[in-house]
């Protein structure tokens, strides 16, 4: 099937730089829809769930817009979902950001602050060591560099979901894969050819 | 390991990239979208666009430039020059910038840093500082605003510390004394700031050779180096820079 005919939704919940994810998907030949409408999101062949900024604020926006429930249901149905940065963090049970805040509890575990003593935010290009053999990594070297900008990291309780790790003071989980859910702490849409390849692989896998 | 970033800076006015040795001696240096794409393909780690026109009309043009560039290049973009309000910043971020830098407006109204960090997240907010050394040999610098033309009497280190407390997520640090001389960065300034604050520091002003870049990242302890002329005049490619730095033990993305 033609790429342009795939229904790709980028979730809009009133926060985050949605344009860059849509730009990257457009560059790959898709026609993404940036939408705040749950029915549009449910109809999509694949859904992108971006996020920047504060996880506590993001949770409030998700709850007030009804998107929190939408994301939970999509993952429950094992529908293809790609979560990015704070989009990944809110999948966990709770975050230490803004005091303490409950999150979506889709991936059991906590979001913790990066250790003291290093520059925060962790900002720039860092390596992702691949812990799984998975077609999402096709054409992407092990330890390829991706662009990060964050102060907190996900610490999932079930380590078998961890698909990639990155070192910054500690080794932290920078990528999660579970069924049709892929989540990255880094920003593929800002990570040059390696990032575009990752989005392309995801879409080839989940809606060939 | 986090790599050190190499950042070309593009001065833009009237929708065109310009380069020159002073504000009065500007030459057209091409289309910003083409230039951005060139650096993207060369392996630059980030791009900074500085709107040196910064009139309201120029800003509309700049928004359009950012939109065009963000469709073509998939790396972080920072836009600065004349941004005065949350709504100015929002337009640039919505157009596709990942970060906005503020300088004069933040000095005049420091609360802008706090408010913008609360709205967009501190990782979006870059404080640009033009620091002029007060006395040769002394570790003391003064903040200059209005594109470096206006000394303020404000101590640069104290200002930067306050700005980070308020919400600045990164410092774009330009040495007023070194800028344009191509004789090396002010690494005493870079080091003083980098050791003082917990956020990343981009060293700017003075790059003329590969060794200057190395010095800023090692002696100056900067997290990133910004340069304009050495890249625009094609004296060094990004690839050459990274090969050189890697050869001297600096972690870079290749």
């Amino acid at each position: 099937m033609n790429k342009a005919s795939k229904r790709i939704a980028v979730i809009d919940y009133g926060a985050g730089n949605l344009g860059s994810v849509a730009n990257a998907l457009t560059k790959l030949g898709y026609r993404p829809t940036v939408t705040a409408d749950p029915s549009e999101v449910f109809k999509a062949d694949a859904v992108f769930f971006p996020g920047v900024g504060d996880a506590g604020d993001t949770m409030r926006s998700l709850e007030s817009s009804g998107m929190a429930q939408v994301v939970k249901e999509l993952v429950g149905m094992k529908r293809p979902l790609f979560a990015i940065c704070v989009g990944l963090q809110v999948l966990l049970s709770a975050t230490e950001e803004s005091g303490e805040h409950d999150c979506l509890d889709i991936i059991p575990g906590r979001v913790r602050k990066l250790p003291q003593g290093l520059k925060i935010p962790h900002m720039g290009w860092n390596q992702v060591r691949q812990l799984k053999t998975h077609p999402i990594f096709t054409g992407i070297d092990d330890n390829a560099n991706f662009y990060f900008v964050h102060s907190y990291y996900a610490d999932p309780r079930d380590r078998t979901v961890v698909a990639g790790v990155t070192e910054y003071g500690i080794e932290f989980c920078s990528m999660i894969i579970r069924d049709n859910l892929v989540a990255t702490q880094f920003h593929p849409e800002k990570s040059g050819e390696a990032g575009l390849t990752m989005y392309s692989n995801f879409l080839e896998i989940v809606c060939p | 390991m986090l790599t050190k970033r190499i950042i070309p800076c593009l001065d833009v006015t009237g929708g065109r990239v310009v380069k020159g040795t002073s504000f009065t001696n500007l030459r057209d240096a091409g289309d910003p979208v083409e230039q951005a794409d060139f650096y993207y393909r060369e392996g630059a780690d980030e791009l900074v666009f500085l709107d040196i026109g910064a009139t309201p009309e120029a800003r509309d043009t700049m928004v359009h430039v950012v939109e065009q560039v963000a469709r073509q290049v998939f790396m972080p973009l920072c836009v600065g020059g004349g941004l005065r309000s949350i709504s100015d910043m929002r337009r640039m971020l919505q157009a596709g910038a990942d970060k906005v830098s503020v300088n004069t407006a933040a000095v005049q109204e420091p609360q802008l840093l706090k408010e913008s960090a609360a709205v967009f997240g501190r990782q979006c907010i870059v404080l640009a500082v033009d620091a002029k050394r007060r006395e040769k040999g002394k570790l003391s610098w003064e903040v200059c605003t209005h594109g470096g033309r206006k000394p303020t009497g404000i101590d640069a280190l104290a200002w930067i510390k306050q700005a980070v407390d308020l919400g600045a997520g990164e410092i774009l640090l330009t040495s007023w004394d070194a800028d344009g001389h191509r004789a090396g960065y002010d690494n005493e300034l870079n080091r003083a700031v980098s050791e003082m604050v917990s956020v990343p520091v981009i060293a700017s002003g003075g790059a003329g050779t590969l060794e200057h870049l190395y010095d800023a990242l090692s002696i100056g302890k900067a997290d990133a180096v910004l340069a304009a002329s050495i890249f625009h005049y094609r004296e060094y490619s990004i690839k050459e820079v990274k090969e050189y730095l890697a050869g001297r033990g600096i972690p870079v993305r290749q």
Side-chain angles (χ1 to χ4, degrees), chain A residues 16-21 23 52 147 149 187 189-190, chain B residues 46-50 62-71 73 75-80 83 88-101 120-121 123-126:
Chain A
N17 183 3
L18 310 161
S20 352
V21 174
N23 281 338
V52 294
Y147 186 75
V149 50
H187 290 267
E189 72 281 3
K190 290 288 158 186
Chain B
E46 193 165 323
L47 277 182
V48 170
F49 285 95
L50 197 58
M62 194 66 195
V63 167
H64 186 62
V65 166
V66 173
E67 279 171 357
Q68 298 284 314
V69 170
R71 289 192 198 121
V73 309
M75 64 171 157
L77 304 173
C78 176
V79 179
L83 301 179
D88 287 347
M89 295 178 181
R90 180 177 281 120
R91 286 183 73 199
M92 290 303 174
L93 294 168
Q94 282 179 343
D98 299 282
K99 307 179 204 177
V100 284
S101 82
F120 306 118
Q123 79 289 339
C124 285
I125 310 303
V126 180

Tab-separated table of all heavy atoms in Angstrom, chain A residues 16-21 23 52 147 149 187 189-190, chain B residues 46-50 62-71 73 75-80 83 88-101 120-121 123-126:
chain	number	residue	atom	x	y	z
A	16	GLY	N	3.925	20.645	23.569
A	16	GLY	CA	4.948	19.964	22.790
A	16	GLY	C	5.101	20.504	21.387
A	16	GLY	O	4.218	21.163	20.845
A	17	ASN	N	6.250	20.202	20.814
A	17	ASN	CA	6.543	20.641	19.460
A	17	ASN	C	6.105	19.544	18.496
A	17	ASN	O	6.860	18.658	18.159
A	17	ASN	CB	8.041	20.936	19.338
A	17	ASN	CG	8.389	21.454	17.967
A	17	ASN	OD1	7.510	21.642	17.124
A	17	ASN	ND2	9.652	21.675	17.731
A	18	LEU	N	4.845	19.617	18.083
A	18	LEU	CA	4.268	18.554	17.260
A	18	LEU	C	4.737	18.670	15.828
A	18	LEU	O	4.773	17.707	15.090
A	18	LEU	CB	2.745	18.667	17.300
A	18	LEU	CG	2.191	18.780	18.718
A	18	LEU	CD1	0.794	19.348	18.701
A	18	LEU	CD2	2.213	17.435	19.386
A	19	GLY	N	5.086	19.906	15.440
A	19	GLY	CA	5.486	20.150	14.056
A	19	GLY	C	6.663	19.303	13.636
A	19	GLY	O	6.676	18.778	12.526
A	20	SER	N	7.658	19.138	14.513
A	20	SER	CA	8.864	18.430	14.056
A	20	SER	C	8.600	16.968	13.787
A	20	SER	O	9.175	16.409	12.865
A	20	SER	CB	10.028	18.532	15.041
A	20	SER	OG	9.795	19.375	16.060
A	21	VAL	N	7.744	16.335	14.592
A	21	VAL	CA	7.424	14.924	14.334
A	21	VAL	C	6.672	14.824	13.000
A	21	VAL	O	7.002	13.990	12.153
A	21	VAL	CB	6.595	14.323	15.481
A	21	VAL	CG1	6.141	12.913	15.138
A	21	VAL	CG2	7.408	14.310	16.774
A	23	ASN	N	6.801	16.917	10.520
A	23	ASN	CA	7.749	17.215	9.439
A	23	ASN	C	8.567	15.990	9.050
A	23	ASN	O	8.789	15.722	7.866
A	23	ASN	CB	8.718	18.321	9.861
A	23	ASN	CG	8.107	19.709	9.760
A	23	ASN	OD1	7.142	19.925	9.026
A	23	ASN	ND2	8.658	20.645	10.503
A	52	VAL	N	7.272	17.378	25.174
A	52	VAL	CA	8.434	18.094	25.704
A	52	VAL	C	7.985	18.829	26.949
A	52	VAL	O	6.789	18.972	27.200
A	52	VAL	CB	9.039	19.123	24.710
A	52	VAL	CG1	9.627	18.447	23.500
A	52	VAL	CG2	8.010	20.169	24.305
A	147	TYR	N	19.643	12.472	19.445
A	147	TYR	CA	19.583	13.746	20.154
A	147	TYR	C	18.675	13.660	21.390
A	147	TYR	O	17.510	13.286	21.283
A	147	TYR	CB	19.082	14.861	19.233
A	147	TYR	CG	19.147	16.223	19.897
A	147	TYR	CD1	20.372	16.872	20.059
A	147	TYR	CD2	18.011	16.831	20.396
A	147	TYR	CE1	20.454	18.100	20.688
A	147	TYR	CE2	18.081	18.071	21.032
A	147	TYR	CZ	19.312	18.693	21.176
A	147	TYR	OH	19.386	19.910	21.809
A	149	VAL	N	17.283	15.636	25.038
A	149	VAL	CA	17.176	16.822	25.884
A	149	VAL	C	16.162	16.515	26.981
A	149	VAL	O	14.967	16.456	26.741
A	149	VAL	CB	16.886	18.118	25.087
A	149	VAL	CG1	15.735	17.979	24.137
A	149	VAL	CG2	16.651	19.292	26.024
A	187	HIS	N	14.977	12.133	20.739
A	187	HIS	CA	14.070	12.674	19.723
A	187	HIS	C	14.500	12.190	18.331
A	187	HIS	O	15.361	12.820	17.722
A	187	HIS	CB	14.107	14.204	19.745
A	187	HIS	CG	13.471	14.802	20.949
A	187	HIS	ND1	12.159	15.189	20.980
A	187	HIS	CD2	13.970	15.061	22.191
A	187	HIS	CE1	11.865	15.674	22.174
A	187	HIS	NE2	12.945	15.608	22.929
A	189	GLU	N	13.081	12.623	15.598
A	189	GLU	CA	12.813	13.672	14.605
A	189	GLU	C	13.876	14.759	14.602
A	189	GLU	O	13.875	15.629	13.744
A	189	GLU	CB	11.418	14.270	14.836
A	189	GLU	CG	11.265	15.153	16.063
A	189	GLU	CD	11.118	14.386	17.378
A	189	GLU	OE1	11.191	13.138	17.368
A	189	GLU	OE2	10.954	15.050	18.424
A	190	LYS	N	14.783	14.717	15.587
A	190	LYS	CA	15.884	15.687	15.638
A	190	LYS	C	17.227	14.986	15.517
A	190	LYS	O	18.266	15.566	15.821
A	190	LYS	CB	15.829	16.455	16.966
A	190	LYS	CG	14.653	17.400	17.052
A	190	LYS	CD	14.857	18.607	16.142
A	190	LYS	CE	13.553	19.268	15.796
A	190	LYS	NZ	13.752	20.342	14.807
B	46	GLU	N	23.762	20.953	15.455
B	46	GLU	CA	22.707	21.889	15.810
B	46	GLU	C	22.935	23.123	14.948
B	46	GLU	O	24.039	23.322	14.453
B	46	GLU	CB	22.880	22.238	17.299
B	46	GLU	CG	21.743	22.938	17.939
B	46	GLU	CD	21.851	22.911	19.486
B	46	GLU	OE1	22.305	21.895	20.050
B	46	GLU	OE2	21.490	23.921	20.084
B	47	LEU	N	21.899	23.934	14.776
B	47	LEU	CA	22.082	25.195	14.038
B	47	LEU	C	21.522	26.333	14.863
B	47	LEU	O	20.483	26.191	15.506
B	47	LEU	CB	21.315	25.164	12.717
B	47	LEU	CG	21.941	24.494	11.510
B	47	LEU	CD1	21.005	24.642	10.319
B	47	LEU	CD2	23.312	25.075	11.180
B	48	VAL	N	22.226	27.446	14.834
B	48	VAL	CA	21.712	28.662	15.455
B	48	VAL	C	21.445	29.680	14.357
B	48	VAL	O	22.316	29.941	13.518
B	48	VAL	CB	22.700	29.237	16.493
B	48	VAL	CG1	22.260	30.630	16.937
B	48	VAL	CG2	22.811	28.321	17.712
B	49	PHE	N	20.233	30.217	14.363
B	49	PHE	CA	19.882	31.309	13.458
B	49	PHE	C	19.795	32.583	14.270
B	49	PHE	O	19.057	32.640	15.254
B	49	PHE	CB	18.514	31.083	12.809
B	49	PHE	CG	18.539	30.059	11.730
B	49	PHE	CD1	18.204	28.746	12.007
B	49	PHE	CD2	18.909	30.404	10.442
B	49	PHE	CE1	18.237	27.792	11.011
B	49	PHE	CE2	18.945	29.447	9.452
B	49	PHE	CZ	18.607	28.137	9.724
B	50	LEU	N	20.529	33.572	13.843
B	50	LEU	CA	20.466	34.850	14.527
B	50	LEU	C	19.844	35.860	13.572
B	50	LEU	O	20.385	36.128	12.490
B	50	LEU	CB	21.881	35.276	14.921
B	50	LEU	CG	21.956	36.362	15.972
B	50	LEU	CD1	21.239	35.940	17.256
B	50	LEU	CD2	23.417	36.663	16.283
B	62	MET	N	11.550	35.802	9.241
B	62	MET	CA	12.317	34.797	9.980
B	62	MET	C	11.433	33.592	10.332
B	62	MET	O	11.895	32.451	10.252
B	62	MET	CB	12.867	35.444	11.262
B	62	MET	CG	13.932	34.634	11.928
B	62	MET	SD	15.422	34.519	10.922
B	62	MET	CE	16.244	33.186	11.755
B	63	VAL	N	10.197	33.853	10.707
B	63	VAL	CA	9.279	32.757	11.017
B	63	VAL	C	9.146	31.851	9.792
B	63	VAL	O	9.192	30.623	9.897
B	63	VAL	CB	7.892	33.309	11.450
B	63	VAL	CG1	6.843	32.201	11.476
B	63	VAL	CG2	7.994	33.973	12.813
B	64	HIS	N	9.026	32.470	8.634
B	64	HIS	CA	8.897	31.713	7.398
B	64	HIS	C	10.164	30.886	7.123
B	64	HIS	O	10.085	29.726	6.725
B	64	HIS	CB	8.605	32.687	6.247
B	64	HIS	CG	8.303	32.006	4.960
B	64	HIS	ND1	7.212	31.172	4.802
B	64	HIS	CD2	8.971	31.992	3.786
B	64	HIS	CE1	7.219	30.701	3.562
B	64	HIS	NE2	8.269	31.177	2.932
B	65	VAL	N	11.317	31.497	7.358
B	65	VAL	CA	12.597	30.792	7.171
B	65	VAL	C	12.651	29.562	8.088
B	65	VAL	O	13.002	28.459	7.652
B	65	VAL	CB	13.794	31.737	7.464
B	65	VAL	CG1	15.090	30.950	7.618
B	65	VAL	CG2	13.934	32.783	6.368
B	66	VAL	N	12.272	29.751	9.336
B	66	VAL	CA	12.327	28.644	10.302
B	66	VAL	C	11.386	27.512	9.860
B	66	VAL	O	11.754	26.333	9.907
B	66	VAL	CB	11.985	29.134	11.726
B	66	VAL	CG1	11.862	27.976	12.706
B	66	VAL	CG2	13.046	30.116	12.211
B	67	GLU	N	10.199	27.882	9.407
B	67	GLU	CA	9.253	26.855	8.921
B	67	GLU	C	9.858	26.044	7.778
B	67	GLU	O	9.766	24.819	7.757
B	67	GLU	CB	7.970	27.525	8.394
B	67	GLU	CG	6.997	27.901	9.487
B	67	GLU	CD	5.838	28.744	8.974
B	67	GLU	OE1	5.813	29.093	7.763
B	67	GLU	OE2	4.967	29.068	9.796
B	68	GLN	N	10.474	26.749	6.833
B	68	GLN	CA	11.076	26.081	5.675
B	68	GLN	C	12.216	25.163	6.103
B	68	GLN	O	12.326	24.027	5.634
B	68	GLN	CB	11.637	27.130	4.699
B	68	GLN	CG	10.599	28.061	4.117
B	68	GLN	CD	9.778	27.379	3.054
B	68	GLN	OE1	10.326	26.710	2.199
B	68	GLN	NE2	8.476	27.516	3.122
B	69	VAL	N	13.070	25.669	6.977
B	69	VAL	CA	14.239	24.896	7.400
B	69	VAL	C	13.793	23.647	8.163
B	69	VAL	O	14.316	22.552	7.954
B	69	VAL	CB	15.188	25.764	8.270
B	69	VAL	CG1	16.270	24.906	8.907
B	69	VAL	CG2	15.814	26.862	7.420
B	70	ALA	N	12.774	23.811	9.036
B	70	ALA	CA	12.336	22.688	9.876
B	70	ALA	C	11.738	21.553	9.048
B	70	ALA	O	11.670	20.419	9.518
B	70	ALA	CB	11.329	23.182	10.913
B	71	ARG	N	11.311	21.842	7.818
B	71	ARG	CA	10.799	20.769	6.953
B	71	ARG	C	11.921	19.996	6.282
B	71	ARG	O	11.709	18.916	5.748
B	71	ARG	CB	9.889	21.359	5.865
B	71	ARG	CG	8.589	21.859	6.428
B	71	ARG	CD	7.589	22.173	5.313
B	71	ARG	NE	6.559	23.020	5.864
B	71	ARG	CZ	6.258	24.241	5.425
B	71	ARG	NH1	6.887	24.742	4.386
B	71	ARG	NH2	5.324	24.935	6.017
B	73	VAL	N	15.522	19.916	7.537
B	73	VAL	CA	16.637	19.408	8.339
B	73	VAL	C	16.118	18.872	9.665
B	73	VAL	O	15.236	19.464	10.271
B	73	VAL	CB	17.743	20.470	8.555
B	73	VAL	CG1	18.162	21.093	7.257
B	73	VAL	CG2	17.341	21.521	9.551
B	75	MET	N	17.494	18.225	12.815
B	75	MET	CA	18.413	18.409	13.939
B	75	MET	C	17.927	19.627	14.715
B	75	MET	O	17.063	20.365	14.241
B	75	MET	CB	19.832	18.626	13.426
B	75	MET	CG	20.008	19.889	12.622
B	75	MET	SD	21.774	20.129	12.325
B	75	MET	CE	21.725	21.158	10.899
B	76	PRO	N	18.448	19.843	15.920
B	76	PRO	CA	17.940	20.945	16.736
B	76	PRO	C	18.230	22.312	16.110
B	76	PRO	O	19.317	22.538	15.555
B	76	PRO	CB	18.703	20.791	18.049
B	76	PRO	CG	19.218	19.400	18.035
B	76	PRO	CD	19.440	19.031	16.617
B	77	LEU	N	17.242	23.184	16.202
B	77	LEU	CA	17.366	24.542	15.683
B	77	LEU	C	17.127	25.529	16.820
B	77	LEU	O	16.145	25.414	17.540
B	77	LEU	CB	16.302	24.809	14.613
B	77	LEU	CG	16.246	23.861	13.421
B	77	LEU	CD1	15.025	24.187	12.562
B	77	LEU	CD2	17.522	23.985	12.597
B	78	CYS	N	18.015	26.493	16.924
B	78	CYS	CA	17.840	27.560	17.909
B	78	CYS	C	17.726	28.875	17.154
B	78	CYS	O	18.473	29.108	16.196
B	78	CYS	CB	19.045	27.590	18.851
B	78	CYS	SG	18.985	28.957	20.044
B	79	VAL	N	16.774	29.701	17.551
B	79	VAL	CA	16.566	30.984	16.876
B	79	VAL	C	16.653	32.106	17.898
B	79	VAL	O	16.043	32.024	18.969
B	79	VAL	CB	15.187	31.030	16.186
B	79	VAL	CG1	14.969	32.373	15.501
B	79	VAL	CG2	15.062	29.906	15.167
B	80	GLY	N	17.394	33.140	17.556
B	80	GLY	CA	17.498	34.290	18.453
B	80	GLY	C	17.575	35.578	17.670
B	80	GLY	O	17.642	35.577	16.438
B	83	LEU	N	13.936	38.740	20.065
B	83	LEU	CA	12.737	38.140	20.674
B	83	LEU	C	12.499	38.832	22.020
B	83	LEU	O	13.374	38.876	22.871
B	83	LEU	CB	12.928	36.634	20.858
B	83	LEU	CG	13.212	35.852	19.576
B	83	LEU	CD1	13.417	34.380	19.893
B	83	LEU	CD2	12.097	36.022	18.567
B	88	ASP	N	6.465	36.285	20.941
B	88	ASP	CA	7.560	36.197	19.949
B	88	ASP	C	8.177	34.797	19.975
B	88	ASP	O	8.457	34.195	18.934
B	88	ASP	CB	8.692	37.182	20.290
B	88	ASP	CG	8.323	38.639	20.006
B	88	ASP	OD1	7.302	38.873	19.333
B	88	ASP	OD2	9.071	39.521	20.475
B	89	MET	N	8.406	34.313	21.192
B	89	MET	CA	9.047	32.996	21.332
B	89	MET	C	8.134	31.895	20.801
B	89	MET	O	8.579	30.990	20.101
B	89	MET	CB	9.343	32.715	22.808
B	89	MET	CG	10.364	33.645	23.419
B	89	MET	SD	10.533	33.192	25.168
B	89	MET	CE	11.725	34.373	25.696
B	90	ARG	N	6.852	32.015	21.155
B	90	ARG	CA	5.909	30.975	20.731
B	90	ARG	C	5.862	30.848	19.216
B	90	ARG	O	5.839	29.742	18.676
B	90	ARG	CB	4.510	31.266	21.284
B	90	ARG	CG	3.488	30.205	20.877
B	90	ARG	CD	2.117	30.424	21.467
B	90	ARG	NE	2.077	29.979	22.857
B	90	ARG	CZ	1.801	30.757	23.895
B	90	ARG	NH1	1.530	32.032	23.703
B	90	ARG	NH2	1.784	30.267	25.111
B	91	ARG	N	5.883	31.988	18.524
B	91	ARG	CA	5.843	31.939	17.047
B	91	ARG	C	7.034	31.155	16.487
B	91	ARG	O	6.887	30.373	15.556
B	91	ARG	CB	5.862	33.355	16.464
B	91	ARG	CG	4.540	34.071	16.633
B	91	ARG	CD	4.593	35.430	15.976
B	91	ARG	NE	4.559	35.363	14.523
B	91	ARG	CZ	4.953	36.342	13.727
B	91	ARG	NH1	5.429	37.458	14.222
B	91	ARG	NH2	4.879	36.213	12.416
B	92	MET	N	8.208	31.392	17.055
B	92	MET	CA	9.408	30.695	16.555
B	92	MET	C	9.338	29.197	16.877
B	92	MET	O	9.696	28.360	16.050
B	92	MET	CB	10.675	31.289	17.170
B	92	MET	CG	11.006	32.677	16.675
B	92	MET	SD	11.176	32.730	14.861
B	92	MET	CE	11.378	34.493	14.633
B	93	LEU	N	8.872	28.871	18.080
B	93	LEU	CA	8.791	27.457	18.474
B	93	LEU	C	7.734	26.738	17.642
B	93	LEU	O	7.945	25.606	17.199
B	93	LEU	CB	8.499	27.338	19.967
B	93	LEU	CG	9.624	27.857	20.881
B	93	LEU	CD1	9.139	27.976	22.323
B	93	LEU	CD2	10.853	26.959	20.815
B	94	GLN	N	6.623	27.419	17.389
B	94	GLN	CA	5.583	26.791	16.563
B	94	GLN	C	6.039	26.644	15.112
B	94	GLN	O	5.609	25.730	14.418
B	94	GLN	CB	4.286	27.597	16.641
B	94	GLN	CG	3.547	27.328	17.942
B	94	GLN	CD	2.263	28.113	18.095
B	94	GLN	OE1	2.051	29.103	17.396
B	94	GLN	NE2	1.414	27.692	19.011
B	95	ALA	N	6.903	27.552	14.685
B	95	ALA	CA	7.418	27.462	13.310
B	95	ALA	C	8.395	26.301	13.156
B	95	ALA	O	8.687	25.880	12.035
B	95	ALA	CB	8.091	28.776	12.915
B	96	GLY	N	8.906	25.778	14.280
B	96	GLY	CA	9.790	24.616	14.192
B	96	GLY	C	11.104	24.765	14.939
B	96	GLY	O	11.926	23.850	14.929
B	97	ALA	N	11.325	25.922	15.578
B	97	ALA	CA	12.535	26.050	16.402
B	97	ALA	C	12.383	25.159	17.636
B	97	ALA	O	11.277	24.962	18.131
B	97	ALA	CB	12.729	27.504	16.830
B	98	ASP	N	13.515	24.596	18.085
B	98	ASP	CA	13.485	23.795	19.308
B	98	ASP	C	13.824	24.643	20.516
B	98	ASP	O	13.452	24.309	21.634
B	98	ASP	CB	14.509	22.656	19.199
B	98	ASP	CG	14.161	21.777	18.030
B	98	ASP	OD1	13.253	20.965	18.171
B	98	ASP	OD2	14.764	21.954	16.949
B	99	LYS	N	14.586	25.702	20.247
B	99	LYS	CA	14.996	26.586	21.335
B	99	LYS	C	14.942	28.013	20.835
B	99	LYS	O	15.068	28.264	19.632
B	99	LYS	CB	16.460	26.314	21.733
B	99	LYS	CG	16.789	24.888	22.040
B	99	LYS	CD	18.266	24.777	22.400
B	99	LYS	CE	18.799	23.397	22.169
B	99	LYS	NZ	20.235	23.291	22.456
B	100	VAL	N	14.789	28.924	21.759
B	100	VAL	CA	14.875	30.343	21.435
B	100	VAL	C	15.924	30.970	22.342
B	100	VAL	O	16.048	30.588	23.505
B	100	VAL	CB	13.523	31.060	21.631
B	100	VAL	CG1	12.580	30.736	20.493
B	100	VAL	CG2	12.895	30.717	22.972
B	101	SER	N	16.691	31.895	21.789
B	101	SER	CA	17.659	32.575	22.649
B	101	SER	C	17.232	34.017	22.865
B	101	SER	O	16.709	34.668	21.963
B	101	SER	CB	19.075	32.476	22.077
B	101	SER	OG	19.294	33.433	21.101
B	120	PHE	N	7.264	27.006	28.266
B	120	PHE	CA	7.827	26.132	27.221
B	120	PHE	C	8.758	25.048	27.761
B	120	PHE	O	9.147	24.155	27.023
B	120	PHE	CB	8.603	26.968	26.201
B	120	PHE	CG	7.807	28.101	25.606
B	120	PHE	CD1	8.190	29.421	25.789
B	120	PHE	CD2	6.651	27.844	24.873
B	120	PHE	CE1	7.451	30.464	25.249
B	120	PHE	CE2	5.909	28.887	24.323
B	120	PHE	CZ	6.299	30.200	24.517
B	121	GLY	N	9.136	25.145	29.018
B	121	GLY	CA	10.150	24.239	29.555
B	121	GLY	C	11.516	24.890	29.434
B	121	GLY	O	11.820	25.527	28.431
B	123	GLN	N	14.362	23.768	28.884
B	123	GLN	CA	15.251	23.269	27.822
B	123	GLN	C	15.097	24.073	26.529
B	123	GLN	O	15.948	24.005	25.652
B	123	GLN	CB	15.010	21.782	27.567
B	123	GLN	CG	13.801	21.417	26.730
B	123	GLN	CD	12.473	21.638	27.445
B	123	GLN	OE1	12.409	21.708	28.676
B	123	GLN	NE2	11.410	21.778	26.689
B	124	CYS	N	14.017	24.829	26.408
B	124	CYS	CA	13.776	25.669	25.215
B	124	CYS	C	14.431	27.038	25.334
B	124	CYS	O	14.501	27.761	24.351
B	124	CYS	CB	12.286	25.948	25.046
B	124	CYS	SG	11.345	24.590	24.430
B	125	ILE	N	14.812	27.423	26.549
B	125	ILE	CA	15.174	28.812	26.786
B	125	ILE	C	16.692	28.958	26.913
B	125	ILE	O	17.310	28.475	27.869
B	125	ILE	CB	14.500	29.351	28.076
B	125	ILE	CG1	12.993	29.039	28.071
B	125	ILE	CG2	14.773	30.848	28.230
B	125	ILE	CD1	12.224	29.583	26.879
B	126	VAL	N	17.275	29.604	25.917
B	126	VAL	CA	18.718	29.822	25.895
B	126	VAL	C	18.984	31.275	26.249
B	126	VAL	O	18.389	32.180	25.649
B	126	VAL	CB	19.283	29.519	24.492
B	126	VAL	CG1	20.790	29.753	24.453
B	126	VAL	CG2	18.947	28.091	24.065
